[in-house]
Amino acid sequence: MKKEPNLMLLIPYPSENISTVKKDDGLIRIKITRKGLLFKILKFIFYNVPENITLDLDEVGSAVWELCDGKNTVYDISIKISDKFGQKVEPLYPRLVKYLKILKENNLIKFKDNGGNNMSKLDNLIDSWKDEIVEETRNLIKIRSVEEKAKDDRPFGDGPYEALQYALKLSDKFGFTTKNHENYAGHAEWGQGHDIVGILVHLDVVPEGTGWTYPPYEAKVVDGKIYGRGSSDDKGPTVAAMYALRAVKEAGIPLQKRVRIIFGTNEESGWGCMKHYFDEKKEEVPVMGLSPDANFPIINREKGILIFNIEKKFESRSEKVNIKYMKGGQRPNMVPDYCEAGIEVKNELRDEIRQRFNNFIKDKDVHLELSDSIDGFIIKSHGVSAHGSTPEKGKNAIVPLAEFLGSLAAGENDVTAFLNFIARYIGKEVHGDSLGIHLIDEPSGDLIFNLGMIEMDEEKGKLVINIRYPVTFKGEDVVKKLESNLVQIDKDLYLSDVSDNPPLYVPADSPLVKKLQKVYKEVTGEEPELISIGGGTYARAIPNAVAFGALFPGKPELAHEKDEYIEIDDLIKCAKIYAHAIAALAGE
C-alpha cells in the first residue's frame, strides 16, 4: 500500500485558472475562470453560464491564501497563521487542514512536494555541524560541574550553575524558547501544540577521582574520542540532543507537539533539580519522553533505587588500637576508589603493626599504603571506581581497609564488630547475599548492592549504601527484610535517611517504545532490543518515558570511571537518532 504523504510537508499553490485581487479592505477576492471541454458543453446548452466566478475570503482565509504561494509548506503556513491570529484560530491544525482540503477538492489549489527527503535533511545538517558539535561538547566538559555547597543563587554550587548557563545560552543562540528555574533546572523548547515531548538530560557530573590518562576537564581529543568527566554521562548526549532539535527546526520538520529539553543539575546526587522543576514550580509534565543517559537500543525497565545509611554507635572500643577516623567514597552511586584511616597506637606496638600490615597485603589483591603519623599511622586504600549500578566492574577501597583494621582492633568491642560486619556481610558481594536481600525477577534480574561511602570517628560509624532492586518489588520490601536481618546480625545496627526512587517499567507494546524501536532500526540498521538496567535516569521523573542511548551496544561503559570518553562518530550518530526520534514523536 502506498503511504500517503504528510500534508504538513506539502507546498500549496494556486491552480492555473485562478487569479486574485486584493480589495480595498485588504481581503482577497478569488476569480475562477472556467475552461475546458465541460465548460464549453455547458456554455453551448446553457448559453448564460458565466465564464468567471468570484469568491470573497474572510480575514483568516485571505491570510492563508496569500501564504499559498508555492514557497510555504502547510507547516510554515500554520506557524505564520498562529503567530498572526493566536487563539482566534485554535484549534489551528484541524481547521487549517480542512480548509486546504476544501480548496483542493474545488480545484482552487494544488500541492507539490517540498523537494527533498526530510530525514536526509536532518542527517545532512548534523553532518555539516560535526565540528560545532564536538567543540560545544568540549566546552561543556571543561566546566567542572560537580555538586558543591549552595551559595547565593547557586543551589548546587558554581559548577552546575555555570553548566546550566552555558546550555541555556547555546539554546538561545539556536532560537529555542528558554526558561531558568532559580538555577535548579531549566529548559529549551521548540514547536507548538498542547502536548510536550520531553528530553531529560543532566549537566552535573560525579567527582573525577584519580588515575586519569588525560586531565578530566581538558576535553582532549585523542584517536577520535573526546576524553573528560561527563563526556558520555551526560554532556555529550546533551549536546547531541540540542543539535538534534536544532536540525528539526532548521529542516522545517512540522511538529504537532512541543519538544522540551529539560536540563537538570543535580541528577548524580539527589534529583533536587527535578523536584524543584516539577513539584515546586509545577512545570507541565511531558506526555512522553526520553533520557539520553544510559544505553541503546531502548531501556524500558530501570530498577528501583534505595539510598540509606547503616549506622552503629560505639559504646566500647579496642584498648590496643584506637581508630580515630575512617573516611572513604564520594557518592553513594560510585564504587569508592579511595579510603583513608588514622589510627592511634602505643610506640611499643608500631613494629608489630607494620609486620601485620605487611603480612596482610602480601598475598591479597589490594593496594594499601601505611605511613607514620605523630601518634600512630595513616593507612590509605586505593580501589577502582565504577558506577554504582555495576559495582562488579570496580574495586571497593573501603572493604580491604575495614578488613585490616578489624584484625587490629581485636577483642569484643563495638568498633571491631562494626568493621567485621563490613568485611563479613558486605565484602566483595554485589547482590547482598550475606545480608539476605538478594532479590531476583524475570524482567530485570538481580538486586545490586553497592557500599558507596563510609564515615567513622571515635563515636560512631556510618555506611552509605546504594541498592538497585528489581522492578517487580517495592523499596519497602527490601528495607523490611534488611532491618529484620540486621537485628539478627547486630542489634545495635540501624538504618537511617532512607530514600526510595521507585522502578520504571514501560510496556514493550507502548506507542513510545514502538516508535523509538522503528527510529533506531531505520538509522542504525540494528535490531532495537529492549533492555533492563540497574542505573537510574531522569526517564523515571515523568510517567511515560524511557532511557534511549547514548552508549551503543558493545562499547565500554565508562560512566563514573577514570578515562571516560565518547567517540565522536557515536556522538554524531546519537544526534541523528535523536533528530529522527523528535520527528517521530512530536511530528505525528
Side-chain angles (χ1 to χ4, degrees), residues 542-588:
I542 62 176
N544 181 32
V546 296
F548 191 48
L551 185 69
F552 287 96
K555 298 298 176 72
E557 172 60 79
L558 296 171
H560 297 200
E561 297 185 25
K562 65 179 182 180
D563 290 339
E564 178 185 352
Y565 67 76
I566 189 167
E567 294 183 27
I568 292 173
D569 288 347
D570 287 351
L571 180 64
I572 301 305
K573 192 194 295 186
C574 282
K576 293 177 181 179
I577 292 173
Y578 295 142
H580 287 241
I582 290 169
L585 297 178
E588 298 180 3

Side-chain angles (χ1 to χ4, degrees), residues 115-145:
N117 184 300
N118 280 282
M119 296 303 103
S120 295
K121 285 183 181 179
L122 293 177
D123 294 347
N124 292 338
L125 280 170
I126 289 167
D127 282 333
S128 72
W129 296 330
K130 179 177 178 179
D131 291 343
E132 276 187 50
I133 294 172
V134 170
E135 195 57 30
E136 295 298 353
T137 300
R138 295 184 67 226
N139 290 340
L140 201 52
I141 291 170
K142 290 176 182 178
I143 300 171
R144 186 180 184 273
S145 50

Side-chain angles (χ1 to χ4, degrees), residues 318-373:
S318 170
E319 296 180 1
K320 188 176 183 180
V321 176
N322 180 35
I323 300 173
K324 299 173 67 175
Y325 71 90
M326 182 176 174
K327 186 174 179 63
Q330 302 179 78
R331 291 283 190 275
N333 60 347
M334 295 176 68
V335 175
D337 62 359
Y338 181 76
C339 186
E340 180 181 303
I343 64 173
E344 185 179 34
V345 299
K346 296 177 180 179
N347 285 331
E348 58 268 24
L349 293 176
R350 282 181 179 268
D351 289 341
E352 179 187 341
I353 299 297
R354 290 191 188 94
Q355 185 60 48
R356 294 179 67 173
F357 177 81
N358 291 331
N359 291 339
F360 181 84
I361 66 173
K362 185 176 180 181
D363 298 318
K364 287 184 170 60
D365 182 22
V366 297
H367 182 184
L368 300 182
E369 298 173 355
L370 181 73
S371 60
D372 289 307
S373 64

Side-chain angles (χ1 to χ4, degrees), residues 245-418:
L245 186 56
R246 180 189 176 191
V248 169
K249 173 178 177 286
E250 297 200 12
I253 304 295
L255 301 180
Q256 297 186 44
K257 300 181 183 71
R258 289 172 286 157
V259 179
R260 179 176 289 185
I261 302 176
I262 302 173
F263 303 104
T265 60
N266 176 232
E267 192 269 351
E268 299 290 5
S269 50
W271 287 37
C273 49
M274 290 297 103
K275 294 171 186 173
H276 187 85
Y277 185 85
F278 288 116
D279 297 343
E280 296 183 29
K281 291 303 173 181
K282 306 297 182 184
E283 274 288 357
E284 296 173 81
V285 177
V287 296
M288 66 180 72
L290 62 90
S291 179
D293 188 27
N295 305 70
F296 283 120
I298 299 166
I299 295 167
N300 67 326
R301 290 152 289 162
E302 294 183 11
K303 293 175 181 175
I305 300 176
L306 280 169
I307 298 176
F308 55 87
N309 303 330
I310 298 178
E311 299 193 42
K312 181 181 175 71
K313 294 179 180 178
F314 301 148
E315 301 295 337
S316 59
R317 302 165 189 80
S318 170
E319 296 180 1
K320 188 176 183 180
V321 176
N322 180 35
I323 300 173
K324 299 173 67 175
Y325 71 90
M326 182 176 174
K327 186 174 179 63
Q330 302 179 78
R331 291 283 190 275
N333 60 347
M334 295 176 68
V335 175
D337 62 359
Y338 181 76
C339 186
E340 180 181 303
I343 64 173
E344 185 179 34
V345 299
K346 296 177 180 179
N347 285 331
E348 58 268 24
L349 293 176
R350 282 181 179 268
D351 289 341
E352 179 187 341
I353 299 297
R354 290 191 188 94
Q355 185 60 48
R356 294 179 67 173
F357 177 81
N358 291 331
N359 291 339
F360 181 84
I361 66 173
K362 185 176 180 181
D363 298 318
K364 287 184 170 60
D365 182 22
V366 297
H367 182 184
L368 300 182
E369 298 173 355
L370 181 73
S371 60
D372 289 307
S373 64
I374 296 176
D375 54 2
F377 296 99
I378 303 295
I379 309 172
K380 299 177 181 180
S381 175
H382 301 272
V384 176
S385 183
H387 197 287
S389 65
T390 54
E392 71 279 2
K393 295 181 179 180
K395 289 186 178 181
N396 197 308
I398 295 173
V399 174
L401 184 51
E403 186 179 349
F404 175 66
L405 293 177
S407 70
L408 294 183
E412 295 292 330
N413 62 80
D414 291 336
V415 176
T416 301
F418 184 69

